[in-house]
């Protein structure tokens, strides 16, 4: 929804149904979407890394991987088999079982402030990645670090297992969906933009 307000600002509001579709497209079609961004005009920056930030980004990525595998074992999601146990290949759920992003009122299950903050950070990262004309002006390590920090805050506040899984499995699956999208984007930023390894466990 687009609204124009004085003194000439244009506000774009992403409706829940659109956000759900957008999130699902990244869960299911991440390889194609990341591939479409291309890397021919970008050179990974190998110098001037902040080691503590790089470790925080790698840790968040590895934590995402472990949660996704646990979600598969707990049958919250079903990943394509066989699982790449020692690979950095992106794991994708099977297309027949989409993430239940919306509740019965067509509103996102994700309404905690840290969930919304992580979602906003994911949207910002994708915007930065697809706007190739501004790519050279973006500090990719800072971008990846901010995403990892938003994910850490989300994980501290929003649980997936225990009572959440038992009493609200759709919420648990939606939160796991956020983890999947975060994993995809963190890996892309680490490997393609920063030129460092994205290991699935530390």
């Amino acid at each position: 929804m687009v609204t124009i307000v004085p003194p000439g600002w244009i506000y774009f509001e992403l409706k829940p149904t659109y956000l759900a579709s957008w999130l699902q497209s990244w869960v299911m079609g991440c390889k194609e979407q990341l591939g479409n961004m291309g890397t021919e005009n970008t050179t990974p920056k190998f110098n001037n890394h902040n080691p503590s930030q790089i470790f925080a980004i790698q840790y968040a990525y590895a934590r995402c991987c472990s949660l996704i595998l646990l979600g598969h074992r707990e049958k919250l999601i079903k990943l394509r088999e066989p699982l790449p146990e020692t690979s950095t290949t992106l794991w994708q759920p099977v297309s027949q079982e989409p993430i239940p992003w919306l509740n019965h009122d067509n509103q996102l299950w994700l309404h905690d402030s840290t969930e919304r903050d992580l979602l906003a950070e994911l949207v910002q990262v994708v915007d930065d990645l697809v706007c190739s004309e501004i790519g050279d002006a973006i500090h990719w390590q800072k971008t990846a670090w901010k995403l990892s920090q938003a994910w850490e805050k989300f994980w501290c506040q929003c649980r997936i297992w225990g009572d959440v899984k038992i009493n609200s499995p759709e919420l648990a699956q939606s939160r796991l969906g956020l983890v999947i999208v975060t994993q995809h984007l963190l890996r892309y930023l680490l490997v393609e933009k920063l030129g460092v390894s994205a290991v699935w466990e530390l």
Side-chain angles (χ1 to χ4, degrees):
M1 185 173 70
V2 180
T3 306
I4 300 176
V5 298
W9 291 101
I10 302 176
Y11 287 172
F12 294 90
E13 180 182 353
L14 301 179
K15 293 295 187 179
T17 50
Y18 177 84
L19 281 171
S21 176
W22 182 83
L23 285 165
Q24 187 63 27
S25 72
W26 277 95
V27 167
M28 300 310 308
C30 63
K31 288 183 179 179
E32 292 77 10
Q33 296 202 52
L34 291 172
N36 289 338
M37 292 175 186
T39 58
E40 63 277 1
N41 296 323
T42 61
T43 302
K45 297 176 180 176
F46 297 88
N47 300 319
N48 301 321
H49 284 332
N50 180 320
S52 62
Q53 285 190 358
I54 292 295
F55 179 79
I57 300 163
Q58 290 176 314
Y59 173 81
Y61 172 78
R63 195 75 184 95
C64 287
C65 290
S66 66
L67 290 173
I68 293 167
L69 287 173
L70 183 57
H72 175 75
R73 295 186 185 108
E74 294 283 326
K75 302 189 184 309
L76 278 174
I77 57 171
K78 185 177 180 182
L79 298 175
R80 299 186 189 281
E81 302 280 2
L83 298 181
E85 293 291 348
T86 59
S87 171
T88 57
T89 301
L90 298 176
W91 300 318
Q92 291 181 272
V94 295
S95 58
Q96 291 82 1
E97 299 182 18
I99 303 292
W101 300 105
L102 301 175
N103 61 24
H104 296 300
D105 297 321
N106 272 337
Q107 298 298 311
L108 287 174
W109 282 101
L110 310 167
H111 52 75
D112 185 89
S113 62
T114 57
E115 293 169 331
R116 295 302 179 112
D117 289 345
L118 177 56
L119 180 54
E121 200 64 43
L122 291 169
V123 171
Q124 184 62 59
V125 169
V126 172
D127 277 353
D128 290 344
L129 287 170
V130 299
C131 293
S132 58
E133 65 274 10
I134 65 170
D136 291 340
I138 294 173
H139 192 295
W140 292 111
Q141 181 175 309
K142 182 178 179 181
T143 296
W145 184 77
K146 285 177 62 180
L147 177 57
S148 71
Q149 295 306 291
W151 184 86
E152 289 284 354
K153 291 177 182 176
F154 154 78
W155 178 237
C156 286
Q157 296 295 322
C158 302
R159 295 304 179 186
I160 295 173
W161 321 113
D163 290 344
V164 175
K165 179 192 171 188
I166 295 170
N167 299 321
S168 187
E170 296 89 352
L171 174 59
Q173 289 173 308
S174 293
R175 288 175 172 173
L176 201 54
L178 273 188
V179 174
I180 294 170
V181 179
T182 302
Q183 181 226 18
H184 294 338
L185 290 175
L186 283 175
R187 181 183 183 277
Y188 188 86
L189 291 169
L190 282 166
V191 175
E192 301 296 342
K193 295 300 184 181
L194 299 176
V196 298
S197 60
V199 292
W200 71 281
E201 68 176 353
L202 293 175

